[in-house]
Amino acid sequence: MLIRGRVVGNEIPRFKHRWFGILEVEAEGEKYRLYMTGNVAQWFLTGDEVEIEILNKPNEKDGVKVLDFDGYKLWKFYEGDRIPVWPLFEKTVEAKRYSPLTGELLYTYKIRAREAKYESDFEAIAELEQYHYASQKEKVALWRCENGHIFEANTRQRCPICGAESHILEIKGSTPASRFLIFELVEREEYEPRILSYVRVDPPIPLMHRRLPNGEIEKNIREKVFPEEWFHPAFWPERIMKELYEELKRKYGKRRIARSYLWEQAKWKALAETNTAGARIARVVVHPDYRSDGLGQLSVKSALEWIAERRIPEMRKRKHIVETIAQMARYNPFFEKVGFKFLWETASGRPVLFYPLTEEAKEYIERFLREDPYAPPEGKLWRPSYGKVEPLAGPIIFKNVSKVFESELDIKGLPEEIQELLKAFGVRHRIIQRPVLRNLNFEIQPGELIAVVGASGAGKTTLLRLILGAANGWWEERFRPTEGEIKVPDNAKVSVMIPGEFEPTFGTESILEHVYRKIGDLNAAVEILNRAGLSDAVLYRAKYGELSTGQKERARIASLLAEKPNLLLIDEFAAHLDTLTAMRVAKKVAEIIREAGITALIITHRPEVLKALDPDRVLFVGYGTARLKNAKDVEKR
């Protein structure tokens, strides 16, 4: 049943928490009380025209019909447009990971994008927000107990003042106008997080000036590029509070004025008058373990749909444009990959990027980029910093290469009882000669990514040692073949990781300092860390000894890449990473290897890692032989 009505009451609809509010509507001579989130209820004004579709029979209370969260659908009308309000925006999306070489699907996540609705959603947002704070002392949320005490904490706990139960009140750093889109893993294991990411959307900031290359400040730059009404009236409770304060000060002189009461008034007045044709993505937070999967891009894309469809956050004017002001956009391009254009820096030096929701907005952006003398070329901010390496001058050639290990087995010096046991098995004295590699003949071309596979003890590590020895001119027995010749181009610059033998050395410096010291470019250092799977800024400042085993492995990979080798040798790649993390890291490392033109031999025992590496060829090592096969031929087997 569809009914039309209007929001009633002498004040803004009742609002208890972000996750609970009440909207009162009068329709066809009846009063309805609609339970919804406070985030939505706070944006309605008395007199707003609405339409309700009643799904479930309402409960009666004091002559008012009460509809619970799932009992209705709601639309509001603004200048003749019918805007969907309730149920909240929800969309199931899939994050697919494809091979950049073959286009094959590697794996898929099914994710539900929806506006935060329940108290547990906001608790999950607070938990996720902690990943963006470098100090363990920082508290990310405000909580209010049943007795009205307000305190800071990162997770739900009893009130430290009176011991009463508490509820989450606010995410610190957000504004009263903020709305939150969360991304929930639909099918997950018990050990996986429920919420993978969230996006916070606010109205555009009230004022924006830009800094020119010569240091001068150009005021109100947005209004010179776009229509002024797109950004005004903005959410600006600080201005309203100042006006209220000055008015009371003139009226009552030096009497004490309750600022908290003024702020409450200013907040509601600002919510009532805010009406822009734009929105601002103020925060994108992705769980660190999932940042290499493009979830940042997926989150922003979904948020753009949400903004356009529901006119978030105010649900009034049609939205033309979305802005974001993000210093991190200098180091991570996911906003630009979605389609945002970098137009200018704020007066404080923070980059501002815009996304057009309409053709009209797109035309304004293109005109600015074309005509403004200071506009960045093509609206680009982030550019890859790692670059290319000098490629190997020729192939790596194995010509009739054999390797025989010889060892002497003697029981002398062992305890007598041990000698007796070994003698029972016929073990006394023996010289063992074990051919590990026999008569190998193959070539590895410059820029190839070779995956090396085979059983334990088959000779994979030995093969890497021989290449390392040939590249460095080492003549120690374990680094040279027993017979044959290995030719490595003279311009080879080798980085190697063979656990227990050759590993990067980390001192007391932070991981970011370590990588930056090696490569000498801060942007490239961040790029490397992101590619190696250490994309959380908290980990940038961590020391090697503070990392988990899996994080240490990623740090070692980042350290090798920071050396900018043109020949990369890695043994036991991703051995200590869980399946999905190993696949993410393998995919990203393979990308940077190919983009830079590095020749790489990577040993792995794991089929899922082999698949994610997407090698050009696979080198099978076993029973003294080594055979190179095209990766596509291997897949057909």
Side-chain angles (χ1 to χ4, degrees), residues 535-574:
S535 54
D536 183 6
V538 173
L539 296 179
Y540 294 166
R541 66 154 183 89
K543 296 177 182 177
Y544 184 76
E546 297 171 341
L547 302 179
S548 68
T549 301
Q551 290 166 347
K552 285 178 178 176
E553 181 163 4
R554 283 173 269 178
R556 292 195 293 269
I557 292 170
S559 181
L560 294 182
L561 292 172
E563 295 170 3
K564 293 203 75 170
N566 58 9
L567 177 57
L568 181 64
L569 309 173
I570 301 181
D571 193 5
E572 295 186 25
F573 181 85

Side-chain angles (χ1 to χ4, degrees), residues 401-416:
V401 172
S402 296
K403 180 64 178 176
V404 177
F405 281 112
E406 182 175 302
S407 59
E408 183 177 355
L409 190 147
D410 198 331
I411 64 174
K412 291 179 181 178
L414 294 175
E416 188 174 340

Side-chain angles (χ1 to χ4, degrees), residues 8-278:
V8 296
N10 296 322
E11 56 186 39
I12 293 170
R14 279 177 278 177
F15 171 86
K16 187 176 181 182
H17 298 286
R18 283 197 176 276
W19 42 271
F20 185 73
I22 299 172
L23 188 70
E24 292 186 345
V25 175
E26 193 173 84
E28 300 182 359
E30 299 275 8
K31 282 193 175 180
Y32 291 85
R33 187 168 292 156
L34 311 182
Y35 287 176
M36 59 174 56
T37 64
N39 267 353
V40 173
Q42 67 178 358
W43 287 107
F44 280 89
L45 303 177
T46 298
D48 278 348
E49 185 181 0
V50 298
E51 186 172 72
I52 307 169
E53 181 180 353
I54 298 176
L55 303 178
N56 301 325
K57 184 179 178 180
N59 296 318
E60 293 274 352
K61 187 175 181 181
D62 301 326
V64 177
K65 296 182 183 297
V66 179
L67 291 167
D68 210 342
F69 272 39
D70 301 321
Y72 66 96
K73 292 183 179 179
L74 178 68
W75 295 262
K76 72 173 292 187
F77 293 89
Y78 181 81
E79 295 183 346
D81 295 331
R82 187 173 182 255
I83 306 165
V85 174
W86 197 271
L88 294 176
F89 177 89
E90 184 174 309
K91 178 184 179 182
T92 299
V93 293
E94 289 186 342
K96 295 177 182 282
R97 308 309 301 142
Y98 292 98
S99 160
L101 196 65
T102 66
E104 180 191 5
L105 179 66
L106 298 178
Y107 51 92
T108 302
Y109 290 120
K110 186 173 285 187
I111 298 169
R112 184 182 296 113
R114 62 179 178 83
E115 183 169 0
K117 183 177 183 180
Y118 305 108
E119 182 176 13
S120 59
D121 293 339
F122 290 97
E123 291 179 6
I125 288 169
E127 184 177 341
L128 195 58
E129 181 68 11
Q130 293 179 78
Y131 291 113
H132 260 245
Y133 283 75
S135 170
Q136 293 181 352
K137 296 178 181 178
E138 191 74 44
K139 301 296 191 296
V140 301
L142 295 177
W143 303 73
R144 180 167 57 198
C145 79
E146 294 170 353
N147 294 319
H149 299 124
I150 295 175
F151 60 95
E152 296 181 350
N154 289 335
T155 58
R156 181 200 285 270
Q157 56 189 256
R158 289 189 173 274
C159 176
I161 300 169
C162 66
E165 290 283 344
S166 65
H167 297 282
I168 192 164
L169 177 65
E170 190 60 275
I171 306 297
K172 288 178 66 178
S174 63
T175 76
S178 300
R179 293 177 72 167
F180 300 83
L181 191 68
I182 61 173
F183 295 81
E184 185 175 43
L185 198 55
V186 176
E187 298 169 356
R188 66 187 182 96
E189 301 295 338
E190 289 184 3
Y191 55 81
E192 293 181 303
R194 181 174 69 90
I195 305 299
L196 300 183
S197 64
Y198 84 85
V199 178
R200 191 186 106 206
V201 175
D202 292 357
I205 63 172
L207 297 174
M208 185 180 290
H209 313 311
R210 77 161 163 172
R211 185 175 66 185
L212 299 175
N214 62 6
E216 292 181 7
I217 304 302
E218 183 179 4
K219 292 195 171 184
N220 302 317
I221 178 62
R222 274 185 322 205
E223 289 73 10
K224 295 177 181 177
V225 178
F226 305 103
E228 184 174 352
E229 62 270 18
W230 283 13
F231 302 98
H232 302 283
F235 181 75
W236 202 352
E238 294 83 1
R239 173 187 58 80
I240 296 172
M241 183 173 175
K242 184 178 179 182
E243 291 172 357
L244 292 172
Y245 181 77
E246 293 298 329
E247 182 181 340
L248 289 175
K249 194 174 175 183
R250 286 194 301 270
K251 189 173 181 179
Y252 295 107
K254 295 183 179 180
R255 292 186 190 179
R256 188 174 179 181
I257 298 170
R259 286 183 174 270
S260 59
Y261 173 74
L262 283 185
W263 172 252
E264 196 68 12
Q265 277 193 307
K267 177 187 79 172
W268 288 114
K269 190 174 180 183
L271 287 167
E273 71 177 29
T274 304
N275 192 7
T276 71

Side-chain angles (χ1 to χ4, degrees), residues 442-444 448 450-451 617-620 626-630:
F442 59 82
E443 293 185 6
I444 297 167
E448 275 195 307
I450 306 294
R617 291 193 287 171
V618 179
L619 181 61
F620 292 90
R627 293 288 182 271
L628 267 171
K629 293 185 178 293
N630 290 329

